[in-house]
Amino acid sequence: MQRQIGQVRTEQVRLFDRDHPLVLAGGEQLLEVDVSYETYGTLSEQRDNAVFICHALTGDAHAAGWREGDRRPGWWDTLIGPGKPLDTDRLFVVCANLLGGCQGTTGPASTNPATGEPYGLDFPLLQMADFVTVHRALLAHLGIERLLAAVGGSLGGMQVLQWTLSHPEQLDNAVIIAASSRLSAQNIGFSAVGREAIMRDPDFHDGRYTEHGTNPAAGLSIARMLAHITYLSEEAMAAKFGRRIQDPEATGPGFGVDFAVESYLRHQGDTFLTRFDALSYLYLTRVMDWFEPFGEHDPRAVAEAGTRALVVSFDTDWRFATEHSREIVRRLESARVPVSFREIASVWGHDSFLLEIEDYHETVRAFVDRALERTHETVRTGGTAGGTR
């Protein structure tokens, strides 16, 4: 039986203020930025065992362990902990709620210090680089100059790719899982429909729903239901639900919840309302739409820094199909970046990156173990772990 991290606590820190505002990639400023984060494990004396977790669209800082009152552990508890692929007996793991989020980090639902009211749609549009800027500021606050690895899936993997390309000197290794370097028209279309559902909800009030005492609940739940369909493969949905009738005693068809899959999606939409904000959904999905880092950064800098990468995809993931991962691999390999690539067989589609799949976990474990071995060898020889830093 695997040991567990146990009780954890979410911390919060103000990383930017009026004297030192956050200057965004688009040129606008945020006068105050608070960040929620959690850490697991112990930072080594050499400060060379730190791993940063970048979360996906609806994730948060609570990646592992149990907080008081939790009904389930953190969202990546299968991957992070003693003896797990990200082994907290040997690693110091950091996970932060990203900028624009709604789980303790400054976002569009936060109070605008200039007005005393929630930002709403006055919150500036963000870019992937802004997430990385704030992550790096948190590392500086923690006294960590360089990471053994940055790890992320989906939107988290995009953050890792951005970090790898824009600041490779800070990363020894990058683990990019079920991600994309450039969304397809289909992917942009899915997000567009979700945003339209939110903004056309009568309770949206041009983003000022808090001031009106409302919440665009119908729109946000529909957006979640649509997105959730894309997270599961057809095989997974067939295995979980098939055409099973929700109420076998029903007398006939109607326009309610006739099938089990309808009940599941409605449940996903309803529970989402208790933990996520509609404005964060708008802002974060838009960042994904415009992400195209290879158009802005030369991957040869990654090779020069000596950063290594692991890229993982899943064969039934149709949201970010394997071809998205292969494109990342091609672009990095063309610049002679050391890249390992693995397509994992899984019936569960895009959601696979959150699940305990043996081949997937062993792939991550082997890559991180080799990274630790190189780091230990560097300490013994007095060299540099990542190459030509």
Side-chain angles (χ1 to χ4, degrees):
M1 183 176 179
Q2 285 185 321
R3 291 177 294 121
Q4 300 296 316
I5 288 177
Q7 197 83 7
V8 299
R9 184 175 65 179
T10 305
E11 307 283 353
Q12 188 177 62
V13 60
R14 178 157 294 175
L15 295 176
F16 299 90
D17 55 30
R18 291 176 183 271
D19 294 330
H20 302 91
L22 172 62
V23 180
L24 299 170
E28 297 188 72
Q29 294 186 359
L30 288 172
L31 299 181
E32 294 178 357
V33 175
D34 297 323
V35 173
S36 287
Y37 69 97
E38 292 185 7
T39 65
Y40 323 105
T42 303
L43 187 63
S44 66
E45 290 185 8
Q46 295 80 17
R47 296 178 178 268
D48 59 359
N49 68 332
V51 173
F52 198 102
I53 303 298
C54 299
H55 70 71
L57 174 62
T58 64
D60 54 34
H62 184 38
W66 295 80
R67 294 181 302 196
E68 186 175 354
D70 274 353
R71 296 174 60 187
R72 59 180 62 87
W75 56 269
W76 230 358
D77 193 74
T78 58
L79 196 74
I80 303 167
K84 296 178 183 180
L86 298 180
D87 185 356
T88 51
D89 284 338
R90 300 185 294 162
L91 301 171
F92 180 67
V93 179
V94 181
C95 184
N97 186 216
L98 53 69
L99 181 68
C102 53
Q103 298 289 340
T105 294
T106 297
S110 302
T111 299
N112 182 346
T115 65
E117 300 291 340
Y119 281 101
L121 292 177
D122 290 335
F123 196 77
L125 289 171
L126 302 172
Q127 298 181 32
M128 202 72 68
D130 298 319
F131 300 158
V132 174
T133 296
V134 176
H135 293 336
R136 296 180 73 232
L138 176 60
L139 287 185
H141 168 74
L142 296 172
I144 299 169
E145 295 182 0
R146 195 167 75 224
L147 292 170
L148 176 73
V151 182
S154 193
L155 171 57
M158 296 180 187
Q159 294 166 60
V160 174
L161 179 58
Q162 174 70 47
W163 206 334
T164 303
L165 292 170
S166 59
H167 299 283
E169 74 286 346
Q170 194 169 28
L171 303 182
D172 286 343
N173 301 274
V175 181
I176 302 165
I177 306 166
S180 176
S181 62
R182 188 173 185 266
L183 263 59
S184 65
Q186 183 185 61
N187 271 292
I188 294 171
F190 285 131
S191 296
V193 172
R195 288 191 297 268
E196 285 292 314
I198 291 168
M199 292 187 290
R200 294 191 186 196
D201 188 311
D203 287 331
F204 184 65
H205 294 293
D206 293 323
R208 298 289 178 187
Y209 46 86
T210 302
E211 298 171 27
H212 287 78
T214 63
N215 185 39
L220 182 58
S221 62
I222 290 169
R224 177 61 171 176
M225 291 166 70
L226 172 65
H228 210 80
I229 292 171
T230 74
Y231 300 154
L232 293 174
S233 68
E234 184 172 4
E235 297 94 322
M237 295 191 84
K240 287 172 71 76
F241 312 111
R243 289 179 53 84
R244 190 170 70 251
I245 302 300
Q246 180 65 13
D247 182 4
E249 297 182 2
T251 58
F255 291 108
V257 177
D258 289 355
F259 293 93
V261 66
E262 294 177 301
S263 176
Y264 172 78
L265 291 173
R266 180 171 291 187
H267 172 74
Q268 290 295 326
D270 289 345
T271 56
F272 192 55
L273 300 176
T274 65
R275 68 179 185 85
F276 214 77
D277 179 68
L279 284 168
S280 284
Y281 198 90
L282 299 184
Y283 276 82
L284 300 183
T285 57
R286 205 44 156 171
V287 172
M288 296 169 70
D289 291 346
W290 282 95
F291 183 54
E292 199 169 354
F294 287 111
E296 301 176 6
H297 300 282
D298 188 343
R300 287 178 295 185
V302 182
E304 292 169 2
T307 306
R308 293 173 169 85
L310 169 66
V311 180
V312 176
S313 70
F314 299 94
D315 62 351
T316 57
D317 181 356
W318 61 280
R319 183 69 193 257
F320 295 147
T322 290
E323 185 53 35
H324 288 260
S325 292
R326 289 192 186 278
E327 177 61 18
I328 295 171
V329 172
R330 280 194 291 267
R331 297 299 293 265
L332 294 176
E333 282 186 334
S334 69
R336 300 188 181 279
V337 177
V339 184
S340 300
F341 170 67
R342 182 85 188 273
E343 181 186 54
I344 303 294
S346 167
V347 71
W348 301 111
H350 188 61
D351 264 358
S352 297
F353 82 93
L354 297 169
L355 304 178
E356 190 171 0
I357 299 167
E358 184 176 0
D359 285 351
Y360 161 43
H361 278 205
E362 288 308 310
T363 298
V364 174
R365 183 193 302 276
F367 184 80
V368 174
D369 283 351
R370 287 195 296 272
L372 277 169
E373 289 170 6
R374 286 192 296 270
T375 297
H376 295 158
E377 179 63 24
T378 297
V379 172
R380 287 193 296 271
T381 63
T384 54
T388 57
R389 283 192 181 84

